[in-house]
């Protein structure tokens, strides 16, 4: 149970950081989009 609490805390802190930092949020979204497009090309 302790591991789940730690994981949720880490995810919440990361989400809070991304909500405040626009550059990091945009960079992360571009990475996810490029990952998604590369997966489509491989299929």
């Amino acid at each position: 149970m302790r591991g789940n609490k730690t994981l949720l805390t880490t995810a919440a802190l990361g989400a809070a950081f991304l909500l405040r930092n626009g550059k990091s949020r945009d960079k992360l979204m571009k990475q996810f989009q490029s990952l998604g497009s590369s997966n489509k090309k491989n299929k």
Side-chain angles (χ1 to χ4, degrees), residues 13-38:
L13 289 173
F17 174 76
L18 288 175
L19 286 173
R20 294 190 58 143
N21 192 335
K23 282 185 179 180
S24 294
R25 183 175 55 238
D26 292 341
K27 184 178 178 182
L28 188 62
M29 287 304 298
K30 287 179 184 177
Q31 289 176 350
F32 278 124
Q33 288 172 351
S34 68
L35 181 64
S37 64
S38 67

